[in-house]
Amino acid sequence: MIMTLPLFSTRTVPMGAKVALVGYMAYLSMGIANYEAYLPMMNENGAFDLNYLLLMVGEAFIGIIMGFYVSIIFAAFSSAGQFFSFQMGFSASEVYDALSQVENPLMGQYFNLVAMLIFLQNQWLQKLFLHGLFESFKSMNVFSLLDQKESLLKFLVSGLSNLFADAMLIALPIMGSLLLITVCTGLLSKAAPQMNLLSEGFPVMILLTFGVLFAWFPEICSFFQRSFMTGVNNLSIFVQGFNKGV
């Protein structure tokens, strides 16, 4: 899960820090994990069989699923910046985003950084470990995932659908304002072609976008917090929905 979580999966985080965090979380989870799910994987002489190896591979797969779901939540904020970057004239200003490790417009990278700060400041990382990782030891394993693979697919598909819905909600006020400015500049350019308002409209759009962001920034932060709360709660409900044992 550490290798797929945002921020921790980047190359800027030293591998020693990742290994230390994994060892620390493994030490804490030793007293919480439900080992009854492992007993059927042992033979009468106490040795483990092939099913136990599959169980360990399944634990890694569960961590990948959790990290991928959190990445979907962060992708909504980055996608929101991409939606209106073209309208405000920042579509060509793509730079390498160290957090998402892809080429990202400046506004998408800005939203991604703000979301990461809110994620760390409000202790959602600790809640993810407590409500997601520790609960998975009690109710999930690779065999339960195979038995309920349809529930897993529905959970991931719902996360992807919420990605585009949240991104549209974040970008909709800015996109609506930029649409009105585009229509107004188009009408004025038809009325007075010598003014060449289409070329002068990009600075106006950029100033308007920053003005809307400045006025709407507290609501954006509140929306980020609600998105994390909904995502972590959905992940906790999904994990607790699996039956215990094999």
Side-chain angles (χ1 to χ4, degrees):
M1 186 174 66
I2 294 297
M3 298 302 295
T4 54
L5 274 177
L7 181 64
F8 296 96
S9 60
T10 59
R11 298 179 180 178
T12 55
V13 179
M15 184 59 66
K18 297 178 183 178
V19 174
L21 181 59
V22 170
Y24 177 70
M25 298 309 301
Y27 174 76
L28 291 180
S29 61
M30 286 181 61
I32 303 176
N34 186 6
Y35 297 101
E36 294 179 359
Y38 296 84
L39 295 179
M41 306 303 159
M42 298 179 60
N43 295 328
E44 296 180 356
N45 55 0
F48 294 105
D49 57 1
L50 181 60
N51 291 331
Y52 180 76
L53 297 178
L54 296 176
L55 193 64
M56 290 196 303
V57 175
E59 294 295 334
F61 183 68
I62 292 172
I64 293 174
I65 293 174
M66 293 182 180
F68 176 71
Y69 185 76
V70 177
S71 300
I72 290 177
I73 300 176
F74 277 92
F77 312 134
S78 178
S79 300
Q82 296 178 5
F83 284 165
F84 61 85
S85 292
F86 179 77
Q87 287 182 291
M88 67 179 297
F90 276 8
S91 60
S93 59
E94 293 189 358
V95 295
Y96 179 76
D97 189 1
L99 294 179
S100 58
Q101 302 185 31
V102 294
E103 292 290 334
N104 201 2
L106 290 176
M107 300 309 301
Q109 187 173 1
Y110 172 72
F111 277 170
N112 205 2
L113 290 173
V114 172
M116 183 60 66
L117 291 176
I118 295 175
F119 182 74
L120 296 176
Q121 183 181 7
N122 292 272
Q123 299 180 354
W124 289 110
L125 181 63
Q126 293 88 330
K127 296 177 182 178
L128 176 65
F129 280 115
L130 293 176
H131 296 284
L133 179 63
F134 292 163
E135 290 292 334
S136 66
F137 288 107
K138 301 178 182 179
S139 58
M140 292 181 66
N141 53 53
V142 63
F143 301 103
S144 62
L145 285 177
L146 293 176
D147 294 336
Q148 304 182 24
K149 54 182 178 295
E150 295 182 357
S151 300
L152 175 61
L153 293 177
K154 291 180 180 179
F155 176 71
L156 295 178
V157 171
S158 64
L160 292 174
S161 61
N162 292 332
L163 184 156
F164 293 101
D166 293 343
M168 184 58 66
L169 288 176
I170 297 172
L172 190 59
I174 301 176
M175 294 177 63
S177 302
L178 293 178
L179 178 61
L180 295 177
I181 294 297
T182 303
V183 173
C184 292
T185 54
L187 294 176
L188 291 175
S189 63
K190 287 294 183 180
Q194 66 276 10
M195 296 180 63
N196 195 12
L197 291 175
L198 289 178
S199 62
E200 300 295 334
F202 284 107
V204 176
M205 292 182 181
I206 293 173
L207 291 176
L208 177 65
T209 301
F210 286 126
V212 174
L213 283 177
F214 178 77
W216 199 49
F217 191 76
E219 296 297 330
I220 293 178
C221 295
S222 299
F223 185 83
F224 287 176
Q225 294 180 6
R226 292 194 299 269
S227 298
F228 289 132
M229 181 183 300
T230 304
V232 173
N233 290 337
N234 291 338
L235 181 61
S236 178
I237 293 173
F238 171 75
V239 170
Q240 295 176 359
F242 279 82
N243 296 325
K244 295 183 178 181
V246 180

